[in-house]
Amino acid sequence: MKKQGLEARNPSLGETVTADIRRLLVEGAFAPGQRLSEVALCERLGVSRNTLREAFRTLAHEGLVIHQPHRGVFVTRPDAASIVEIYRLRRFIECRALSEAWPSHPAVKDMRAAVEAGQAHGERSDWLAVGTANMAFHGAIVALADSARLNGFFRQVLAELRLAFGLMADKEWLHGPYVEMNQQVLETFEGGDTRAAVALLEQYLAQSERIVLAAWERQAASSG
């Protein structure tokens, strides 16, 4: 009864739950191909099944989950084409945002906080948390563009990206190098050499794309 009352007073609850699940995907809480338990998620998020199913419909439209009749809802397993598209979008959005920003932009503090969080988590060998800090770093780069709509769209891209990262078993090998690379991009940008910072970011994204595509190819070969 309390859940129904809360939902009746707050018509945006479905959107809130959608954002919560998307955030969990960005944080690496779910693996590609994992079946999502309605019971567990309703309990975790404190909502009814109707609200959860509304969120699932939105996430399915975004390509983050798949509904299989008589089986349930599963986290999407990225394919090679979607990985290529994700990185094309990242280059277009992130590099442009960085190229047109000022080192004094407030979002630079968030970039710095994400770098420091990644370093701290790396020292504890918490590579899942390092990956989450990495997501925050790239979200902060996009925030340089001062566009709420772009920030919202990029959160969806980050969720898809995290699913692509989930294809790799060795999280240290995946995330470890980018702790230092994030710092290099940040310090170059803070130093006023925006063109060099963008060039570093472009190289960074190209390297990351090759690694993730290679992981996808290995997994496809092993499952075939």
Side-chain angles (χ1 to χ4, degrees), residues 26-107:
V26 171
E27 293 174 356
F30 307 119
Q34 177 180 341
R35 183 180 181 278
L36 296 177
S37 166
E38 285 191 1
V39 173
L41 272 175
C42 285
E43 188 68 26
R44 182 172 187 171
L45 300 174
V47 296
S48 70
R49 288 197 175 193
N50 285 339
T51 299
L52 182 63
R53 288 169 183 171
E54 178 186 342
F56 279 162
R57 285 191 290 271
T58 300
L59 294 168
H61 180 72
E62 295 177 357
L64 297 174
V65 302
I66 298 173
H67 177 260
Q68 297 184 10
H70 310 298
R71 294 193 62 207
V73 175
F74 294 80
V75 178
T76 299
R77 189 184 298 275
D79 58 20
S82 64
I83 292 170
V84 170
E85 184 178 17
I86 287 168
Y87 277 91
R88 183 183 298 123
L89 286 169
R90 292 188 70 191
R91 280 189 286 269
F92 183 80
I93 296 171
E94 292 188 53
C95 294
R96 183 68 175 269
L98 190 64
S99 69
E100 296 185 355
W102 294 96
S104 58
H105 192 286

Side-chain angles (χ1 to χ4, degrees), residues 137-158:
F137 178 77
H138 292 282
I141 289 177
V142 175
L144 294 169
D146 290 318
S147 170
R149 289 185 179 182
L150 190 58
N151 292 339
F153 172 72
F154 196 69
R155 281 192 288 271
Q156 178 184 339
V157 173
L158 288 178

